[in-house]
Amino acid sequence: MGFLDYLFGNGGRKFIKRKDSDAGEAGRALEELRGSLYNDLRTSEGAKRQQQRYCGPVMAMTFNFMVAVGIILGNKLIMGRVGFKFPIFLTLIHYCCSWILLAIFKALSLLPAAPPARTTPFSSLFSLGAVMAFASGLANASLNHNSVGFYQMAKIAVTPTIVIAEFLLFKKTVSFHKVLALAVVSVGVAVATVTDLEFNFFGACIALAWIVPSGVNKILWSNLQQQTNWTALALMWRTTPVTIFFLVPLSPLLDPPGVLSFKWDIHNTSAILISALLGFLLQWSGALALGATSATSHVVLGQFKTCVILLGGYFLFSSDPGWTSICGAVTALGGMTVYTSLSLKESREKASDQLPKHSLPLQKLKSTEDENNSRYIPPDQTPAVV
């Protein structure tokens, strides 16, 4: 009876009231957090702060690495088992699905706000969208018309292209030690992956035409996010329609005929749509990585992915690429380690240089002030003699 008296008496009412108040406080805290995140997405500055807070360099590059490996396996499945031999049209499907997903985010008010139009000329966004179409489309066309070895040689050539382009466009220089590390990485990747250099004249022209758009694409993505308040999703929303516009005429020019006669059943369509979802994640993660690091670091990440796939196949699946390829991959990984160490050292030095030099601890300021007061000698207060 004592427990029932307590439950239905004043004690029980106080207990229930306290529980209701705790639940109310938790609900209000959740509502405040939700409102804060919503308000941050309404301004480009707030959205940029949220992206930098939750997706730093390590998180962005890890995300991009995992998605890149997944889409490589997915595209191999589509090109092999499904038999979809139209790489440019597959890229077009990827970007169309990405734009549809971004439109859904926009309708649900989940898309971050873009900076004011006056801060970024339309020509910059249009150029980025066009360059992205040629970079993505020509990459797939180069792989379709050339051997894997020649395609890898073209990918290695992107690294010096980015270094030269950043110097010409933004007067950005690279230290001598980082140049040596990049050279070691390029040589190691070349030894590991370039096993044949079979190509034809048309394929070589496509590969050479792809190098410059690929480098400029990475530079523009990195520069627009780091110099302005653009976030990855907001920039994708503005540039994806331009990319689709240029991919539409590229598909019939570079793809083989027969895309309309392909067997579009449920199995094949589902595989292509899954690949399109991975394509959206790849574009998003790549934009995040470029915004958090640099164009050169993103290229090094791609070469790291190539070496990991090669070594992973050797250790996990007993594939035999040959000792020459294994030594090249290990050499490239060593160069990547040195390059990463140098980049982190430069980042720490820049962060320390940006700290105010005059900011001292409050306790030190107080002790200095007390010391000065103790040394202060007051004037003579003796009365004047009349």
Side-chain angles (χ1 to χ4, degrees), residues 163-241:
V163 174
I164 296 173
E166 286 185 330
F167 176 75
L168 295 177
L169 295 176
F170 307 109
K171 303 301 179 182
K172 184 178 179 180
T173 59
V174 181
S175 65
F176 179 73
H177 295 90
K178 293 181 75 172
V179 171
L180 287 180
L182 291 174
V184 172
V185 171
S186 299
V187 172
V189 172
V191 172
T193 59
V194 179
T195 56
D196 60 320
L197 291 177
E198 297 179 2
F199 62 94
N200 53 47
F201 179 76
F202 181 70
C205 292
I206 291 178
L208 294 176
W210 166 75
I211 294 173
V212 174
S214 178
V216 174
N217 176 51
K218 297 179 185 298
I219 292 172
L220 291 178
W221 271 102
S222 179
N223 184 69
L224 282 176
Q225 290 187 83
Q226 294 182 6
Q227 301 298 327
T228 59
N229 288 321
W230 282 100
T231 58
L233 289 176
L235 200 54
M236 288 168 58
W237 170 250
R238 293 294 182 88
T239 57
T240 300

Side-chain angles (χ1 to χ4, degrees), residues 288-312:
L288 290 173
L290 285 168
T293 57
S294 64
T296 308
S297 299
H298 190 257
V299 173
V300 174
L301 175 65
Q303 294 170 344
F304 172 75
K305 171 195 64 181
T306 302
C307 295
V308 167
I309 291 176
L310 189 147
L311 294 176

Side-chain angles (χ1 to χ4, degrees), residues 45-369:
E45 294 85 357
K48 184 65 177 294
R49 286 194 302 269
Q50 292 296 329
Q51 177 174 303
Q52 293 174 342
R53 179 182 179 184
Y54 293 105
C55 196
V58 177
M59 178 66 69
M61 298 187 78
T62 304
F63 180 30
N64 183 242
F65 172 78
M66 295 176 63
V67 175
V69 173
I71 199 170
I72 287 175
L73 298 177
N75 286 342
K76 283 185 177 180
L77 176 65
I78 290 176
M79 297 290 183
R81 294 185 181 180
V82 177
F84 194 80
K85 304 295 184 180
F86 313 99
I88 308 296
F89 194 78
L90 181 63
T91 306
L92 177 61
I93 293 175
H94 286 185
Y95 280 101
C96 288
C97 291
S98 297
W99 192 74
I100 292 173
L101 289 174
L102 291 171
I104 295 174
F105 291 165
K106 181 74 172 178
L108 297 176
S109 300
L110 296 177
L111 193 70
R118 64 179 181 274
T119 61
T120 306
F122 176 75
S123 59
S124 299
L125 300 177
F126 186 84
S127 300
L128 176 57
V131 168
M132 188 163 51
F134 285 98
S136 302
L138 292 178
N140 292 328
S142 175
L143 187 58
N144 190 33
H145 289 86
N146 298 311
S147 64
V148 177
F150 192 81
Y151 174 76
Q152 288 294 339
M153 285 295 294
K155 285 185 65 176
I156 294 171
V158 174
T159 303
T161 302
I162 290 176
V163 174
I164 296 173
E166 286 185 330
F167 176 75
L168 295 177
L169 295 176
F170 307 109
K171 303 301 179 182
K172 184 178 179 180
T173 59
V174 181
S175 65
F176 179 73
H177 295 90
K178 293 181 75 172
V179 171
L180 287 180
L182 291 174
V184 172
V185 171
S186 299
V187 172
V189 172
V191 172
T193 59
V194 179
T195 56
D196 60 320
L197 291 177
E198 297 179 2
F199 62 94
N200 53 47
F201 179 76
F202 181 70
C205 292
I206 291 178
L208 294 176
W210 166 75
I211 294 173
V212 174
S214 178
V216 174
N217 176 51
K218 297 179 185 298
I219 292 172
L220 291 178
W221 271 102
S222 179
N223 184 69
L224 282 176
Q225 290 187 83
Q226 294 182 6
Q227 301 298 327
T228 59
N229 288 321
W230 282 100
T231 58
L233 289 176
L235 200 54
M236 288 168 58
W237 170 250
R238 293 294 182 88
T239 57
T240 300
V242 181
T243 304
I244 294 173
F245 175 78
F246 281 95
L247 282 175
V248 169
L250 278 179
S251 179
L253 290 176
L254 299 177
D255 274 342
V259 64
L260 297 180
S261 59
F262 179 74
K263 185 179 179 181
W264 294 94
D265 56 7
I266 297 178
H267 176 265
N268 294 341
T269 304
S270 300
I272 292 174
L273 290 179
I274 292 175
S275 173
L277 178 60
L278 291 175
F280 166 75
L281 295 177
L282 180 67
Q283 185 186 2
W284 184 23
S285 62
L288 290 173
L290 285 168
T293 57
S294 64
T296 308
S297 299
H298 190 257
V299 173
V300 174
L301 175 65
Q303 294 170 344
F304 172 75
K305 171 195 64 181
T306 302
C307 295
V308 167
I309 291 176
L310 189 147
L311 294 176
Y314 174 74
F315 287 108
L316 298 178
F317 303 105
S318 300
S319 63
D320 188 14
W323 280 107
T324 303
S325 297
I326 294 174
C327 292
V330 173
T331 302
L333 290 177
M336 294 171 196
T337 303
V338 175
Y339 176 82
T340 304
S341 176
L342 293 173
S343 299
L344 293 175
K345 182 179 178 181
E346 289 183 0
S347 300
R348 288 193 296 265
E349 290 177 353
K350 289 181 180 179
S352 62
D353 292 339
Q354 292 176 356
L355 291 176
K357 301 295 184 180
H358 60 276
S359 60
L360 296 175
L362 182 61
Q363 184 177 0
K364 186 174 181 180
L365 286 175
K366 287 184 177 180
S367 61
T368 304
E369 184 179 355

Side-chain angles (χ1 to χ4, degrees), residues 8-22:
F8 294 104
N10 293 330
R13 286 193 294 268
K14 290 180 181 180
F15 177 79
I16 296 174
K17 185 177 181 180
R18 184 167 62 252
K19 289 295 183 181
D20 291 340
S21 63
D22 293 340

